[in-house]
Amino acid sequence: MFHLLQLMRLLGLQMLVREMLNNSIKQIKPTMKLGISPFGVWRNKSKDPDGSETHGGQTNYDDLYADVVLWMQKGWIDYLMPQLYWEHNHHAASFNTLMPWWYGHCYKRHMYYGLGLYRMTNARKGPWASAHELLWQMRDIREQCPNTGYCFYSATCFDKVRGPIKDSIQYGIAKYPALVPPMVWLDSVAPAAPKLSIVPKGKEAELSWQELNPSKEPLRYVVYRFNNNEPVNLDRNDRIISIQQSTEFKDTDTRHHGHCTYVVTALDRMWNESKASNVVTGN
């Protein structure tokens, strides 16, 4: 009975603090993103019908007194980054169980998955002895959980793991850049489209653009290149050749792409993307 009362008091206090923290942050800076990286199991289904089909010895709700799912549901945090450091088909907390479970409890907030790169550093056998498990997890996230992402715990481990893991990520599964999905509940107003011009110079093309930014908000720009008269399609992230702050770009690789068509978009600090600029063509 005492433990139950203590749990209720702690959960109530944490909810109050979490709501106050979010409100205080947003009053000072409305576009500030607030998130948390919780333990990978919220509750086991054996204790809660809404929990995951896991057998975690520790959970956020029962042991850490953190009802992170409620915080997302109430809109008190902007993103979660659950620590999914287990492999597929793990006996107590499998990745393929927890990944869709968390995705189903994001409540239109952002979900990023923490992946256990550190487990590869000293592995000599088992699922973490090669890059297969990590790449499998990354593919599952991309294919099954749209508009989410992943991070690695920790990035310093890239210099410690054996095998060509960095090349597999950089030139394989993460070959093309991706834009961060905007948090439209914080800001949904995109900047104006730039006005683009081009100066072809032999096998190069020099692009420059005027920014229409009366509020002087810090902006980034996305340069898209389309080949041989293919239609402009801003969903084609494989056509992004630069994400930058400068209003100039020199394309030195035009000879490998036939007739090149370019557009530029503007991104605000919340990653709202403008409409495409006017279209210009190179060689």
Side-chain angles (χ1 to χ4, degrees), residues 5-23:
L5 291 174
Q6 183 184 43
L7 175 61
M8 292 173 65
R9 292 193 194 101
L10 284 169
L11 286 173
L13 179 61
Q14 287 211 14
M15 286 191 292
L16 178 62
V17 170
R18 180 61 57 182
E19 184 179 12
M20 291 175 60
L21 176 63
N22 180 66
N23 291 341

Side-chain angles (χ1 to χ4, degrees), residues 82-255:
Q83 302 166 17
L84 301 193
Y85 300 157
W86 303 279
E87 64 271 14
H88 283 79
N89 303 317
H90 186 277
H91 67 282
S94 68
F95 178 85
N96 41 305
T97 295
L98 286 167
M99 180 198 68
W101 186 91
W102 282 106
Y103 186 67
H105 292 79
C106 64
Y107 298 102
K108 297 183 179 180
R109 290 299 195 252
H110 283 196
M111 186 68 66
Y112 312 127
Y113 295 95
L115 306 182
L117 179 65
Y118 76 97
R119 300 198 61 183
M120 296 178 62
T121 55
N122 297 311
R124 296 293 181 268
K125 60 181 180 178
W128 297 100
S130 72
H132 173 75
E133 176 62 35
L134 186 67
L135 296 176
W136 186 8
Q137 293 182 4
M138 293 169 66
R139 284 192 294 269
D140 278 359
I141 292 169
R142 287 198 166 194
E143 293 171 2
Q144 301 177 34
C145 304
N147 295 319
T148 61
Y150 43 75
C151 65
F152 304 101
Y153 182 74
S154 79
T156 60
C157 294
F158 278 112
D159 295 325
K160 302 173 184 177
V161 298
R162 299 178 299 157
I165 180 62
K166 287 187 287 188
D167 288 346
S168 298
I169 294 174
Q170 183 175 358
Y171 301 110
I173 193 169
K175 182 178 180 180
Y176 301 112
L179 303 183
V180 177
M183 293 184 174
V184 295
W185 57 91
L186 298 181
D187 177 17
S188 61
V189 181
K195 184 177 180 180
L196 179 62
S197 60
I198 185 171
V199 178
K201 290 191 175 180
K203 297 179 180 179
E204 299 181 352
E206 293 185 359
L207 304 175
S208 62
W209 51 92
Q210 297 177 0
E211 61 177 17
L212 305 176
N213 184 22
S215 65
K216 304 299 182 183
E217 180 183 7
L219 298 177
R220 299 180 183 90
Y221 299 96
V222 188
V223 182
Y224 293 84
R225 179 180 60 210
F226 301 93
N227 309 322
N228 297 319
N229 298 313
E230 64 182 348
V232 171
N233 181 356
L234 300 186
D235 291 329
R236 292 287 301 273
N237 67 310
D238 59 330
R239 294 298 183 253
I240 296 175
I241 56 176
S242 180
I243 302 173
Q244 59 182 58
Q245 292 180 307
S246 172
T247 56
E248 297 179 345
F249 179 79
K250 180 183 287 188
D251 186 4
T252 61
D253 195 28
T254 61
R255 67 181 182 273

Side-chain angles (χ1 to χ4, degrees), residues 22-61:
N22 180 66
N23 291 341
S24 298
I25 288 173
K26 296 303 191 289
Q27 287 176 4
I28 297 171
K29 189 174 183 180
T31 57
M32 177 65 71
K33 301 175 181 179
L34 174 62
I36 187 172
S37 180
F39 183 69
V41 180
W42 174 69
R43 295 195 88 185
N44 297 311
K45 196 162 190 175
S46 58
K47 287 197 171 183
D48 191 314
D50 198 35
S52 53
E53 289 281 5
T54 51
H55 305 282
Q58 176 179 272
T59 69
N60 282 286
Y61 188 96

